Amino acid sequence: MIKIKTLNYEQTEAAGYLIGKQLAAGDVVLLEGDLGGGKTTFAKGIAKACGVLDVVNSPTFTIVKIYQGHLPFYHIDAYRLEGNSDDIGLEELITDNHAIIVIEWPRYIENILPKDHLKISFNYLSEFEREINLMPVGKKFQERFGENNGHIMFR
Ligand code: ADP
Ligand code: MG
Protein backbone atom coordinates (compact mmCIF):
# COMPACT_ATOMS: atom_id res chain seq x y z
CA MET A 1 0.00 0.00 0.00
CA ILE A 2 1.20 3.48 -0.85
CA LYS A 3 0.22 6.31 1.50
CA ILE A 4 0.23 9.94 0.40
CA LYS A 5 -0.52 12.89 2.65
CA THR A 6 -1.52 16.16 1.02
CA LEU A 7 -1.78 19.60 2.59
CA ASN A 8 -3.86 21.38 -0.03
CA TYR A 9 -6.01 20.97 -3.11
CA GLU A 10 -3.09 21.39 -5.52
CA GLN A 11 -1.12 18.55 -3.95
CA THR A 12 -4.06 16.18 -4.27
CA GLU A 13 -4.47 17.09 -7.92
CA ALA A 14 -0.71 16.62 -8.44
CA ALA A 15 -0.91 13.19 -6.78
CA GLY A 16 -3.69 12.28 -9.20
CA TYR A 17 -1.51 13.43 -12.07
CA LEU A 18 1.43 11.30 -10.93
CA ILE A 19 -0.72 8.19 -10.52
CA GLY A 20 -2.45 9.00 -13.80
CA LYS A 21 0.91 8.91 -15.57
CA GLN A 22 1.31 5.30 -14.42
CA LEU A 23 -2.04 4.25 -15.88
CA ALA A 24 -2.74 2.57 -19.19
CA ALA A 25 -5.81 2.05 -21.38
CA GLY A 26 -8.28 -0.34 -19.76
CA ASP A 27 -7.28 0.51 -16.20
CA VAL A 28 -10.07 0.97 -13.66
CA VAL A 29 -9.50 3.23 -10.65
CA LEU A 30 -11.92 3.27 -7.72
CA LEU A 31 -12.11 6.36 -5.51
CA GLU A 32 -13.58 5.86 -2.05
CA GLY A 33 -14.06 8.03 1.00
CA ASP A 34 -16.00 10.88 2.49
CA LEU A 35 -17.62 13.75 0.70
CA GLY A 36 -15.02 16.49 0.37
CA GLY A 37 -12.23 13.96 0.74
CA GLY A 38 -10.66 14.94 -2.57
CA LYS A 39 -11.90 12.24 -4.95
CA THR A 40 -12.91 14.62 -7.72
CA THR A 41 -9.79 16.73 -7.17
CA PHE A 42 -7.65 13.63 -7.65
CA ALA A 43 -9.71 12.64 -10.72
CA LYS A 44 -8.90 16.05 -12.25
CA GLY A 45 -5.21 15.19 -11.95
CA ILE A 46 -5.73 11.82 -13.64
CA ALA A 47 -7.61 13.58 -16.43
CA LYS A 48 -4.69 15.95 -16.97
CA ALA A 49 -2.36 12.96 -17.21
CA CYS A 50 -4.67 11.58 -19.94
CA GLY A 51 -4.24 14.83 -21.86
CA VAL A 52 -7.76 16.06 -21.16
CA LEU A 53 -7.94 19.83 -21.64
CA ASP A 54 -11.61 20.28 -20.68
CA VAL A 55 -12.55 21.22 -17.15
CA VAL A 56 -13.42 18.11 -15.15
CA ASN A 57 -16.23 18.57 -12.62
CA SER A 58 -18.07 16.23 -10.34
CA PRO A 59 -20.25 14.05 -12.55
CA THR A 60 -22.80 13.64 -9.76
CA PHE A 61 -25.84 14.66 -11.75
CA THR A 62 -24.94 12.79 -14.91
CA ILE A 63 -23.39 9.56 -13.59
CA VAL A 64 -20.95 9.35 -16.51
CA LYS A 65 -18.85 11.95 -18.26
CA ILE A 66 -16.59 11.09 -21.15
CA TYR A 67 -13.57 13.24 -21.97
CA GLN A 68 -11.17 13.01 -24.89
CA GLY A 69 -7.42 13.17 -24.36
CA HIS A 70 -4.56 11.20 -25.83
CA LEU A 71 -6.32 8.56 -23.72
CA PRO A 72 -10.11 8.72 -23.36
CA PHE A 73 -11.06 9.42 -19.75
CA TYR A 74 -14.37 8.13 -18.34
CA HIS A 75 -15.46 9.71 -15.08
CA ILE A 76 -18.24 7.81 -13.33
CA ASP A 77 -20.04 8.81 -10.13
CA ALA A 78 -22.22 5.93 -8.95
CA TYR A 79 -23.62 7.76 -5.93
CA ARG A 80 -27.05 8.37 -7.38
CA LEU A 81 -27.42 4.82 -8.67
CA GLU A 82 -27.48 3.34 -5.16
CA GLY A 83 -27.21 -0.16 -6.54
CA ASN A 84 -29.65 0.21 -9.43
CA SER A 85 -27.02 -0.03 -12.12
CA ASP A 86 -28.71 -2.60 -14.35
CA ASP A 87 -29.52 -1.85 -17.95
CA ILE A 88 -27.85 1.50 -18.34
CA GLY A 89 -24.85 0.15 -20.18
CA LEU A 90 -22.40 0.92 -17.42
CA GLU A 91 -20.80 -2.52 -17.45
CA GLU A 92 -19.92 -2.17 -21.11
CA LEU A 93 -18.37 1.22 -20.43
CA ILE A 94 -16.32 -0.10 -17.50
CA THR A 95 -14.86 -2.91 -19.58
CA ASP A 96 -13.82 -0.59 -22.41
CA ASN A 97 -10.12 -1.31 -22.76
CA HIS A 98 -9.36 1.88 -24.71
CA ALA A 99 -10.03 4.27 -21.86
CA ILE A 100 -8.94 5.15 -18.33
CA ILE A 101 -11.96 4.62 -16.11
CA VAL A 102 -12.29 6.44 -12.79
CA ILE A 103 -15.23 5.60 -10.53
CA GLU A 104 -16.39 7.58 -7.51
CA TRP A 105 -18.69 5.73 -5.03
CA PRO A 106 -17.86 2.29 -6.51
CA ARG A 107 -19.70 0.51 -3.66
CA TYR A 108 -22.97 1.23 -5.44
CA ILE A 109 -21.96 -0.77 -8.49
CA GLU A 110 -19.92 -3.47 -6.79
CA ASN A 111 -21.58 -6.21 -8.86
CA ILE A 112 -20.11 -4.94 -12.13
CA LEU A 113 -16.61 -3.93 -11.04
CA PRO A 114 -13.64 -5.74 -12.61
CA LYS A 115 -11.50 -7.93 -10.35
CA ASP A 116 -8.35 -6.00 -11.18
CA HIS A 117 -8.50 -2.39 -10.08
CA LEU A 118 -6.59 0.30 -8.28
CA LYS A 119 -8.52 1.22 -5.15
CA ILE A 120 -7.79 4.62 -3.66
CA SER A 121 -9.28 5.82 -0.40
CA PHE A 122 -9.44 9.41 0.81
CA ASN A 123 -9.46 10.31 4.48
CA TYR A 124 -10.31 13.77 5.70
CA LEU A 125 -7.77 14.66 8.40
CA SER A 126 -8.42 18.39 8.82
CA GLU A 127 -9.68 21.29 6.71
CA PHE A 128 -6.74 21.05 4.30
CA GLU A 129 -5.11 17.73 5.13
CA ARG A 130 -6.02 14.52 3.37
CA GLU A 131 -4.58 11.02 3.60
CA ILE A 132 -4.68 9.06 0.37
CA ASN A 133 -4.17 5.28 0.38
CA LEU A 134 -3.49 3.31 -2.76
CA MET A 135 -4.51 -0.34 -2.69
CA PRO A 136 -3.67 -2.26 -5.84
CA VAL A 137 -6.07 -5.19 -6.29
CA GLY A 138 -5.13 -8.03 -8.67
CA LYS A 139 -1.86 -8.95 -10.33
CA LYS A 140 -1.83 -6.16 -12.90
CA PHE A 141 -1.89 -3.39 -10.32
CA GLN A 142 0.11 -5.20 -7.68
CA GLU A 143 2.99 -5.48 -10.13
CA ARG A 144 2.81 -1.80 -10.87
CA PHE A 145 2.02 -0.38 -7.43
CA GLY A 146 2.93 -3.20 -5.03
CA GLU A 147 5.34 -3.03 -2.14
CA ASN A 148 8.51 -3.38 -4.16
CA ASN A 149 7.46 -1.40 -7.17
CA GLY A 150 5.82 1.48 -5.46
CA HIS A 151 7.72 4.24 -7.17
CA ILE A 152 5.61 7.15 -8.21
CA MET A 153 7.48 9.42 -10.51
CA PHE A 154 7.14 11.85 -13.36
CA ARG A 155 7.15 10.42 -16.84
P1 ADP B 1 -14.99 14.57 -3.22
O1 ADP B 1 -15.07 14.32 -4.70
O2 ADP B 1 -14.26 13.48 -2.48
O3 ADP B 1 -16.33 14.85 -2.61
P2 ADP B 1 -13.75 17.08 -3.94
O4 ADP B 1 -12.44 16.83 -4.58
O5 ADP B 1 -14.91 17.40 -4.81
O6 ADP B 1 -14.09 15.86 -2.96
O7 ADP B 1 -13.63 18.27 -2.89
C1 ADP B 1 -12.58 18.45 -2.01
C2 ADP B 1 -12.78 19.78 -1.31
O8 ADP B 1 -11.84 19.92 -0.25
C3 ADP B 1 -12.57 20.95 -2.24
O9 ADP B 1 -13.46 21.98 -1.89
C4 ADP B 1 -11.13 21.38 -1.94
O10 ADP B 1 -10.90 22.74 -2.17
C5 ADP B 1 -11.01 21.06 -0.46
N1 ADP B 1 -9.64 20.68 -0.03
C6 ADP B 1 -8.97 21.20 1.00
N2 ADP B 1 -7.79 20.60 1.18
C7 ADP B 1 -7.70 19.64 0.23
C8 ADP B 1 -6.73 18.66 -0.09
N3 ADP B 1 -5.58 18.52 0.62
N4 ADP B 1 -6.98 17.85 -1.13
C9 ADP B 1 -8.14 17.95 -1.83
N5 ADP B 1 -9.11 18.85 -1.57
C10 ADP B 1 -8.90 19.69 -0.55
MG1 MG C 1 -16.70 13.98 -6.03
Coordinates of all heavy atoms in Angstrom, one line a residue, residues 16-68:
G16 N -2.9 12.9 -8.2 CA -3.7 12.3 -9.2 C -3.0 12.3 -10.5 O -3.0 11.3 -11.3
Y17 N -2.3 13.4 -10.8 CA -1.5 13.4 -12.1 C -0.4 12.4 -12.1 O -0.2 11.7 -13.1 CB -0.9 14.8 -12.2 CG -0.2 15.0 -13.5 CD1 -0.8 15.4 -14.7 CD2 1.2 14.8 -13.6 CE1 -0.1 15.5 -15.9 CE2 1.9 15.0 -14.7 CZ 1.3 15.4 -15.9 OH 1.9 15.5 -17.1
L18 N 0.3 12.3 -11.0 CA 1.4 11.3 -10.9 C 0.9 9.9 -11.1 O 1.5 9.1 -11.8 CB 2.2 11.5 -9.6 CG 3.0 12.7 -9.5 CD1 3.6 12.8 -8.1 CD2 4.1 12.7 -10.6
I19 N -0.1 9.5 -10.4 CA -0.7 8.2 -10.5 C -1.2 8.0 -11.9 O -1.0 7.0 -12.6 CB -1.9 8.0 -9.5 CG1 -1.3 8.1 -8.1 CG2 -2.5 6.6 -9.7 CD1 -0.2 7.1 -7.7
G20 N -1.9 9.1 -12.4 CA -2.4 9.0 -13.8 C -1.4 8.7 -14.8 O -1.6 7.9 -15.8
K21 N -0.2 9.2 -14.6 CA 0.9 8.9 -15.6 C 1.3 7.4 -15.6 O 2.0 7.0 -16.4 CB 2.1 9.8 -15.2 CG 1.9 11.2 -15.8 CD 2.0 11.2 -17.3 CE 1.7 12.6 -17.9 NZ 1.6 12.5 -19.4
Q22 N 1.0 6.7 -14.5 CA 1.3 5.3 -14.4 C 0.2 4.4 -15.0 O 0.3 3.2 -15.0 CB 1.5 4.9 -13.0 CG 2.5 5.7 -12.2 CD 3.9 5.6 -12.6 OE1 4.3 4.5 -12.9 NE2 4.6 6.7 -12.7
L23 N -0.9 5.0 -15.4 CA -2.0 4.2 -15.9 C -2.0 4.0 -17.4 O -1.3 4.7 -18.1 CB -3.3 5.0 -15.5 CG -3.6 5.2 -14.0 CD1 -4.8 6.0 -13.8 CD2 -3.7 3.8 -13.3
A24 N -2.7 2.9 -17.8 CA -2.7 2.6 -19.2 C -4.2 2.3 -19.6 O -5.1 2.2 -18.7 CB -1.9 1.3 -19.4
A25 N -4.5 2.3 -20.9 CA -5.8 2.1 -21.4 C -6.4 0.8 -20.8 O -5.7 -0.2 -20.7 CB -5.8 2.0 -22.9
G26 N -7.6 0.8 -20.4 CA -8.3 -0.3 -19.8 C -8.2 -0.4 -18.2 O -8.9 -1.2 -17.6
D27 N -7.4 0.5 -17.7 CA -7.3 0.5 -16.2 C -8.5 1.1 -15.5 O -9.1 2.1 -16.0 CB -6.1 1.3 -15.8 CG -4.7 0.6 -16.0 OD1 -4.8 -0.6 -16.4 OD2 -3.7 1.2 -15.8
V28 N -8.9 0.5 -14.4 CA -10.1 1.0 -13.7 C -9.6 1.4 -12.3 O -8.9 0.7 -11.6 CB -11.1 -0.1 -13.5 CG1 -12.3 0.3 -12.6 CG2 -11.7 -0.5 -14.9
V29 N -9.9 2.6 -11.9 CA -9.5 3.2 -10.7 C -10.8 3.5 -9.8 O -11.7 4.2 -10.3 CB -8.7 4.5 -10.9 CG1 -8.3 5.1 -9.5 CG2 -7.5 4.3 -11.8
L30 N -10.8 3.0 -8.6 CA -11.9 3.3 -7.7 C -11.6 4.3 -6.7 O -10.5 4.1 -6.0 CB -12.3 2.0 -7.0 CG -12.5 0.7 -7.9 CD1 -13.0 -0.5 -7.1 CD2 -13.5 1.0 -9.0
L31 N -12.4 5.3 -6.5 CA -12.1 6.4 -5.5 C -13.1 6.3 -4.4 O -14.3 6.4 -4.7 CB -12.1 7.7 -6.2 CG -11.3 7.9 -7.4 CD1 -11.4 9.4 -7.9 CD2 -9.8 7.6 -7.1
E32 N -12.7 6.0 -3.2 CA -13.6 5.9 -2.0 C -13.3 6.9 -1.0 O -12.2 7.4 -0.9 CB -13.4 4.5 -1.4 CG -13.7 3.3 -2.4 CD -13.7 2.0 -1.7 OE1 -12.9 1.8 -0.8 OE2 -14.6 1.2 -2.0
G33 N -14.3 7.1 -0.1 CA -14.1 8.0 1.0 C -15.1 9.1 1.1 O -16.0 9.3 0.2
D34 N -15.0 9.9 2.2 CA -16.0 10.9 2.5 C -16.2 12.0 1.4 O -15.3 12.2 0.6 CB -15.6 11.6 3.8 CG -15.6 10.6 4.9 OD1 -16.3 9.5 4.8 OD2 -14.9 10.8 5.9
L35 N -17.3 12.6 1.5 CA -17.6 13.8 0.7 C -16.6 14.8 1.1 O -16.3 15.0 2.3 CB -19.0 14.2 1.0 CG -19.8 15.0 0.0 CD1 -20.1 14.0 -1.2 CD2 -21.1 15.5 0.5
G36 N -16.0 15.5 0.1 CA -15.0 16.5 0.4 C -13.6 15.9 0.6 O -12.7 16.6 1.0
G37 N -13.5 14.6 0.5 CA -12.2 14.0 0.7 C -11.2 14.2 -0.3 O -10.0 14.1 -0.1
G38 N -11.6 14.6 -1.5 CA -10.7 14.9 -2.6 C -10.7 14.0 -3.8 O -9.9 14.0 -4.6
K39 N -11.8 13.2 -3.9 CA -11.9 12.2 -5.0 C -11.9 12.9 -6.3 O -11.2 12.6 -7.2 CB -13.2 11.4 -4.8 CG -13.2 10.6 -3.5 CD -14.4 9.7 -3.3 CE -15.7 10.4 -3.2 NZ -15.8 11.2 -2.0
T40 N -12.8 13.9 -6.4 CA -12.9 14.6 -7.7 C -11.6 15.4 -8.0 O -11.2 15.5 -9.2 CB -14.2 15.5 -7.7 OG1 -15.3 14.7 -7.6 CG2 -14.3 16.3 -9.0
T41 N -11.0 16.0 -7.0 CA -9.8 16.7 -7.2 C -8.7 15.8 -7.8 O -8.0 16.2 -8.7 CB -9.3 17.3 -5.8 OG1 -10.4 18.0 -5.2 CG2 -8.1 18.1 -6.0
F42 N -8.6 14.6 -7.2 CA -7.7 13.6 -7.7 C -8.0 13.2 -9.1 O -7.1 13.1 -9.9 CB -7.7 12.4 -6.7 CG -6.6 11.4 -6.8 CD1 -5.5 11.5 -6.1 CD2 -6.8 10.3 -7.7 CE1 -4.4 10.6 -6.2 CE2 -5.8 9.4 -7.8 CZ -4.6 9.5 -7.1
A43 N -9.3 13.0 -9.4 CA -9.7 12.6 -10.7 C -9.3 13.7 -11.7 O -8.9 13.4 -12.9 CB -11.2 12.4 -10.7
K44 N -9.3 15.0 -11.3 CA -8.9 16.1 -12.3 C -7.4 15.9 -12.6 O -7.0 16.1 -13.8 CB -9.0 17.4 -11.6 CG -10.5 17.9 -11.5 CD -10.4 19.2 -10.7 CE -11.8 19.6 -10.0 NZ -12.6 20.4 -10.8
G45 N -6.6 15.4 -11.7 CA -5.2 15.2 -11.9 C -5.0 14.0 -12.9 O -4.2 14.1 -13.8
I46 N -5.8 13.0 -12.7 CA -5.7 11.8 -13.6 C -6.1 12.3 -15.0 O -5.5 11.9 -16.0 CB -6.6 10.7 -13.2 CG1 -6.2 10.1 -11.8 CG2 -6.7 9.5 -14.2 CD1 -7.0 9.0 -11.3
A47 N -7.2 13.1 -15.1 CA -7.6 13.6 -16.4 C -6.5 14.4 -17.1 O -6.3 14.2 -18.3 CB -8.9 14.5 -16.3
K48 N -5.8 15.2 -16.4 CA -4.7 15.9 -17.0 C -3.6 15.0 -17.5 O -3.1 15.2 -18.6 CB -4.1 16.9 -15.9 CG -4.8 18.2 -15.8 CD -4.0 19.2 -15.0 CE -4.8 20.5 -14.8 NZ -4.3 21.4 -13.8
A49 N -3.4 13.9 -16.8 CA -2.4 13.0 -17.2 C -2.8 12.2 -18.5 O -2.0 11.8 -19.3 CB -2.1 11.9 -16.1
C50 N -4.1 12.2 -18.7 CA -4.7 11.6 -19.9 C -4.7 12.6 -21.1 O -5.1 12.3 -22.2 CB -6.1 11.1 -19.7 SG -6.2 9.7 -18.5
G51 N -4.3 13.8 -20.8 CA -4.2 14.8 -21.9 C -5.6 15.5 -22.1 O -5.8 16.1 -23.1
V52 N -6.5 15.4 -21.1 CA -7.8 16.1 -21.2 C -7.6 17.6 -20.9 O -7.0 17.9 -19.9 CB -8.8 15.4 -20.1 CG1 -10.0 16.2 -20.1 CG2 -9.0 14.0 -20.5
L53 N -8.1 18.4 -21.8 CA -7.9 19.8 -21.6 C -9.2 20.5 -21.1 O -9.2 21.5 -20.5 CB -7.6 20.5 -23.0 CG -6.3 20.0 -23.6 CD1 -6.1 20.6 -25.0 CD2 -5.1 20.3 -22.7
D54 N -10.3 19.8 -21.2 CA -11.6 20.3 -20.7 C -11.6 20.3 -19.2 O -10.8 19.6 -18.5 CB -12.8 19.4 -21.1 CG -13.0 19.4 -22.6 OD1 -12.5 20.3 -23.3 OD2 -13.8 18.5 -23.1
V55 N -12.4 21.2 -18.6 CA -12.5 21.2 -17.1 C -13.3 20.0 -16.7 O -14.4 19.7 -17.2 CB -13.3 22.5 -16.7 CG1 -13.5 22.5 -15.2 CG2 -12.5 23.7 -17.2
V56 N -12.8 19.3 -15.7 CA -13.4 18.1 -15.1 C -14.1 18.5 -13.9 O -13.5 19.0 -12.9 CB -12.4 17.0 -14.9 CG1 -13.0 15.8 -14.1 CG2 -11.8 16.5 -16.2
N57 N -15.4 18.3 -13.8 CA -16.2 18.6 -12.6 C -16.8 17.3 -12.1 O -16.7 16.2 -12.7 CB -17.4 19.5 -13.0 CG -16.9 20.9 -13.4 OD1 -16.1 21.4 -12.7 ND2 -17.4 21.4 -14.4
S58 N -17.4 17.4 -10.9 CA -18.1 16.2 -10.3 C -19.2 15.8 -11.3 O -20.0 16.6 -11.7 CB -18.7 16.6 -9.0 OG -19.5 15.5 -8.6
P59 N -19.2 14.5 -11.6 CA -20.3 14.1 -12.6 C -21.5 13.7 -11.8 O -22.4 13.1 -12.4 CB -19.6 12.8 -13.2 CG -18.7 12.3 -12.1 CD -18.3 13.5 -11.2
T60 N -21.7 14.1 -10.6 CA -22.8 13.6 -9.8 C -24.2 13.6 -10.4 O -24.9 12.7 -10.2 CB -22.9 14.5 -8.5 OG1 -21.7 14.4 -7.8 CG2 -24.0 14.0 -7.6
F61 N -24.5 14.6 -11.2 CA -25.8 14.7 -11.7 C -26.0 14.0 -13.1 O -27.1 13.9 -13.7 CB -26.3 16.1 -11.8 CG -26.4 16.7 -10.4 CD1 -25.4 17.6 -10.0 CD2 -27.4 16.3 -9.6 CE1 -25.5 18.1 -8.7 CE2 -27.5 16.8 -8.3 CZ -26.5 17.7 -7.8
T62 N -24.9 13.4 -13.6 CA -24.9 12.8 -14.9 C -24.5 11.3 -14.9 O -24.6 10.7 -15.9 CB -24.1 13.5 -15.9 OG1 -22.8 13.8 -15.3 CG2 -24.7 14.8 -16.3
I63 N -23.9 10.9 -13.8 CA -23.4 9.6 -13.6 C -22.1 9.3 -14.4 O -21.1 8.9 -13.9 CB -24.4 8.5 -13.9 CG1 -25.6 8.7 -12.9 CG2 -23.8 7.1 -13.6 CD1 -26.9 7.9 -13.2
V64 N -22.1 9.6 -15.7 CA -20.9 9.4 -16.5 C -20.6 10.6 -17.3 O -21.5 11.2 -17.9 CB -21.2 8.2 -17.5 CG1 -19.9 7.9 -18.3 CG2 -21.6 6.9 -16.8
K65 N -19.3 10.9 -17.3 CA -18.8 12.0 -18.3 C -17.7 11.4 -19.0 O -16.8 10.7 -18.4 CB -18.4 13.2 -17.5 CG -19.6 14.1 -17.1 CD -19.2 15.5 -16.7 CE -20.3 16.3 -16.2 NZ -19.9 17.6 -15.6
I66 N -17.6 11.6 -20.3 CA -16.6 11.1 -21.2 C -15.8 12.3 -21.7 O -16.3 13.2 -22.2 CB -17.2 10.3 -22.3 CG1 -17.8 9.0 -21.7 CG2 -16.2 9.9 -23.4 CD1 -18.5 8.1 -22.7
Y67 N -14.5 12.2 -21.5 CA -13.6 13.2 -22.0 C -12.6 12.7 -23.0 O -12.1 11.5 -22.8 CB -12.8 13.8 -20.8 CG -13.6 14.4 -19.7 CD1 -14.1 13.7 -18.7 CD2 -13.9 15.8 -19.7 CE1 -14.9 14.2 -17.7 CE2 -14.7 16.4 -18.7 CZ -15.2 15.6 -17.7 OH -16.0 16.1 -16.7
Q68 N -12.2 13.5 -23.9 CA -11.2 13.0 -24.9 C -9.8 13.6 -24.6 O -9.7 14.8 -24.4 CB -11.6 13.4 -26.3 CG -12.9 12.8 -26.8 CD -12.9 11.2 -26.7 OE1 -11.8 10.6 -26.9 NE2 -14.0 10.6 -26.4

